[in-house]
Amino acid sequence: MSTNTSKHSDSGNFLVQGSILAAAGIVVRFIGLLYKIPLTRTLGDDGIGYFNIAHEIYNVGLILSSYSLPLAVSKLIAARRVQGRNQDTRRIFRSGLLFGLIAGGLMTLLLLLEADWITTNIFNSPSSALPLKVMAPTILVFSVMGVIRGYFQGQGNMVPTSISQIIEQIVNAAVSITAACLCMTWFAGRENPASYGAAGATLGTLVGAIAAFLFLALQMIRHRKQRAELFLTPQSTPVESWSNVYTALILTLTPIILSQFVYQLSGTVDNSMFGLIMGGKGLTEKERLSLIGIYSGKYRLLSNVPVAIASSLGTSMIPSIVRSRTRQNHAEVQHKIGLTIKFNMLIAIPCAVGMGVLASPIMRLIFRDSRALTASLMQIGAFAVVFFSLSTVTNAVLQGIDLMRKSVTHSAISLAIHAVLVYVMLQYLNMGIYGLVIGNVTFALVVCVLNWIAIGRALHYHQEVKTTFVLPLVAALIMGAAALAAYHGIHALIPSNMIALLISVPFAMIVYGMLIILLKAVTEEELPEMPFGRKLLRLCKKVHLL
């Protein structure tokens, strides 16, 4: 097989695996979106605010302890697997489990003991302590589960991770809604029933993680014979010592942890500054948390759905880039980066435009929220979808080419700029919750720019601009105008927001799909490498678009 054919085959395979994970990510986010609708109505904006504060702290604890374990384990296993060092992969797996148990256990204990102090002194939201305590044990469960996910991902198999994520979210949704309703009823006579309701909602996070862990454990038992044959196959090189294995794991984990920590910290800094500054301006805890509930529980919830695709493609791309670099195939590395970014932008750009032009109808349909404030947040912050998608993928590239420290540095620089900008907008410009939305966009934008510079210098890589960014943007803007016209036209004939959206959104998708083919944003040669590309190629030829 020629190098070129091999390159395209491998690229297609990792994109397919990434798309399996991306499809699962979209399903997970969609379920998350669906269950947040009744949850928001049950808890109210202030209850969702307590839930989101607890979740923000939980996310920081998860990142500092074990969030990066799947990524690190998959990267280390992929590098050893391509070299036939099967017994070394076994040691990586075992060392990851031990690390996860220790790190996850310590972080769980810390959050249980210090929840009251953290929520009161850092976030000025003591009512968020109870939901945080309920959610804290999830970190220990995720720590062990993450190692198993990393093992399968290192083998190039994203299916177990995908299925476990869907199971996790389905159970999470069912338990969260049920427990929140019960807690709001049982504790209706207490001073702040929304805090108890939020605690019921966070119970779903824990139970969902346990369900996903049990599924993955069954998968490991099911493949134990295959795993034993792999692990016990003699390797030509000496088996790595345990000290080398732990050193490699820690050296891989540390920059990823720092990068993800700083990256995640932007939301934590936002919530903390908003609570302290707006509290000083006279807003009560309930008023502040209601605004945070709109920002986090509606705007960020929706804008994060398309970013799930970037996250999944990045997760799939890292082991694939590691294998290509191990083979010293630099052309293949560049090809994979370009293909992933282009595929990502073909989805992220129209999502951002669509969310911007149809912000008010979407918010009315999903959350029954017709306030101008809610729609304005989405309109102002819609393009965060593009920047977060790009920053997520470029962070994955830096991790795949062993420049993880750059990822940390760039996130830290962006966070510093972000914190100053948000402080000025809150303290001096009195922009309120709009300051958080603008800060959200600029944070991801700065990370993107810095990542691009580092990747270009390291790989002498230059992303093709016209068909990756310009033509998809042109197609998306035309699509946005068509979607808006279709929505208002249908709404004038049938005064139903739901019907107008259900017709105008698929119509807009068809318009965009035709435009990117007609404008040649995607070529006939590129289509087969993309997920479902061969079927799309046949369809395009059948209707004479190509």
Side-chain angles (χ1 to χ4, degrees):
M1 184 181 289
S2 70
T3 303
N4 189 53
T5 305
S6 175
K7 174 181 75 174
H8 292 311
S9 175
D10 190 23
S11 299
N13 180 63
F14 97 83
L15 261 187
V16 168
Q17 288 294 325
S19 297
I20 292 171
L21 202 57
I26 291 296
V27 171
V28 165
R29 297 294 174 97
F30 185 67
I31 295 170
L33 189 60
L34 288 179
Y35 95 82
K36 285 288 179 64
I37 298 169
L39 192 64
T40 301
R41 293 172 186 170
T42 301
L43 299 178
D45 285 335
D46 54 333
I48 282 293
Y50 301 137
F51 175 86
N52 284 323
I53 290 289
H55 216 281
E56 203 76 56
I57 300 168
Y58 157 80
N59 280 338
V60 172
L62 186 64
I63 287 169
L64 285 174
S65 59
S66 53
Y67 182 80
S68 55
L69 269 173
L71 189 58
V73 170
S74 70
K75 183 178 179 180
L76 292 171
I77 285 180
R80 283 151 182 77
R81 180 170 163 258
V82 79
Q83 296 171 337
R85 295 161 57 187
N86 297 319
Q87 293 180 51
D88 290 343
T89 64
R90 183 184 195 181
R91 293 200 166 191
I92 292 293
F93 179 67
R94 287 186 172 183
S95 64
L97 285 176
L98 181 59
F99 182 92
L101 283 168
I102 295 172
L106 289 174
M107 185 56 69
T108 294
L109 189 62
L110 175 65
L111 291 185
L112 286 172
L113 295 175
E114 299 297 333
D116 293 293
W117 186 91
I118 294 170
T119 54
T120 301
N121 292 285
I122 299 178
F123 292 88
N124 198 15
S125 177
S127 300
S128 301
L130 182 59
L132 176 60
K133 290 176 183 177
V134 174
M135 191 185 290
T138 312
I139 293 177
L140 178 58
V141 179
F142 185 91
S143 299
V144 180
M145 176 173 65
V147 178
I148 302 175
R149 284 176 171 171
Y151 166 76
F152 283 115
Q153 289 165 202
Q155 302 290 332
N157 182 5
M158 305 295 161
V159 175
T161 295
S162 302
I163 296 175
S164 70
Q165 287 178 343
I166 294 172
I167 292 171
E168 180 181 356
Q169 190 70 319
I170 290 173
V171 174
N172 179 12
V175 174
S176 292
I177 295 169
T178 305
C181 290
L182 290 174
C183 287
M184 289 291 286
T185 303
W186 291 341
F187 300 101
R190 298 291 180 94
E191 182 180 347
N192 192 352
S195 176
Y196 292 93
T202 57
L203 179 64
T205 308
L206 173 59
V207 178
I210 293 172
F213 168 73
L214 292 175
F215 167 78
L216 287 167
L218 288 173
Q219 291 300 303
M220 292 298 288
I221 294 170
R222 182 184 171 192
H223 293 94
R224 63 184 181 276
K225 184 177 179 181
Q226 175 186 344
R227 198 169 66 254
E229 290 175 356
L230 174 68
F231 284 159
L232 297 176
T233 303
Q235 60 185 54
S236 56
T237 58
V239 179
E240 279 186 276
S241 66
W242 284 108
S243 61
N244 284 345
V245 169
Y246 280 109
T247 300
L249 182 64
I250 291 170
L251 289 177
T252 305
L253 275 170
T254 302
I256 299 176
I257 288 173
L258 290 174
S259 172
Q260 292 292 336
F261 171 66
V262 176
Y263 201 64
Q264 179 66 33
L265 206 57
S266 64
T268 307
V269 168
D270 286 350
N271 289 336
S272 178
M273 283 201 297
F274 191 81
L276 295 172
I277 294 173
M278 301 312 290
K281 288 179 179 288
L283 266 68
T284 65
E285 183 185 14
K286 185 179 178 66
E287 290 171 333
R288 296 194 308 271
L289 270 294
S290 292
L291 290 171
I292 288 291
I294 296 170
Y295 169 69
S296 298
K298 294 176 182 177
Y299 159 68
R300 286 191 67 181
L301 177 67
L302 282 176
S303 63
N304 280 338
V305 172
V307 180
I309 297 174
S311 179
S312 302
L313 290 176
T315 300
S316 172
M317 179 174 59
I318 289 173
S320 182
I321 285 180
V322 168
R323 289 194 292 271
S324 298
R325 280 175 61 82
T326 303
R327 292 192 294 261
Q328 296 186 341
N329 193 334
H330 302 298
E332 189 172 283
V333 170
Q334 294 200 359
H335 179 75
K336 288 176 179 178
I337 293 170
L339 194 62
T340 304
I341 290 173
K342 182 169 184 174
F343 181 62
N344 202 4
M345 289 299 97
L346 287 170
I347 297 171
I349 292 174
C351 284
V353 173
M355 286 180 173
V357 298
L358 296 175
S360 181
I362 290 171
M363 289 298 183
R364 292 203 306 273
L365 176 66
I366 296 176
F367 298 110
R368 294 183 183 175
D369 191 338
S370 57
R371 288 173 292 185
L373 169 67
T374 311
S376 297
L377 294 184
M378 179 58 73
Q379 290 167 344
I380 294 170
F383 254 79
V385 169
V386 175
F387 299 137
F388 270 105
S389 295
L390 266 177
S391 59
T392 299
V393 171
T394 52
N395 272 337
V397 172
L398 290 173
Q399 290 161 6
I401 62 175
D402 295 325
L403 286 179
M404 291 172 282
R405 292 179 182 176
K406 292 284 187 183
S407 179
V408 178
T409 305
H410 298 165
S411 296
I413 293 171
S414 183
L415 180 62
I417 296 171
H418 170 83
V420 172
L421 183 62
V422 170
Y423 179 80
V424 170
M425 287 190 289
L426 294 178
Q427 183 69 44
Y428 299 109
L429 301 182
N430 295 316
M431 296 182 68
I433 201 70
Y434 290 104
L436 298 191
V437 175
I438 296 170
N440 189 54
V441 176
T442 55
F443 173 78
L445 175 60
V446 174
V447 173
C448 287
V449 172
L450 295 175
N451 284 356
W452 276 121
I453 294 171
I455 292 169
R457 288 176 178 172
L459 299 177
H460 304 291
Y461 175 81
H462 299 284
Q463 180 70 37
E464 189 278 331
V465 173
K466 181 181 177 182
T467 63
T468 302
F469 300 104
V470 177
L471 293 181
L473 179 59
V474 171
L477 290 174
I478 297 172
M479 174 212 74
L484 198 59
Y487 173 82
H488 287 296
I490 295 164
H491 197 272
L493 295 173
I494 308 172
S496 167
N497 181 52
M498 179 184 291
I499 292 174
L501 268 180
L502 290 177
I503 295 174
S504 59
V505 170
F507 169 71
M509 293 168 65
I510 293 169
V511 169
Y512 176 74
M514 293 176 64
L515 283 170
I516 61 172
I517 297 297
L518 292 173
L519 294 173
K520 295 187 177 0
V522 179
T523 66
E524 189 172 339
E525 291 74 24
E526 288 173 329
L527 262 178
E529 293 190 76
M530 296 182 176
F532 307 107
R534 295 185 186 280
K535 292 181 181 179
L536 290 172
L537 180 61
R538 287 196 295 270
L539 177 63
C540 290
K541 287 186 174 181
K542 191 173 182 180
V543 297
H544 306 293
L545 284 175
L546 285 173

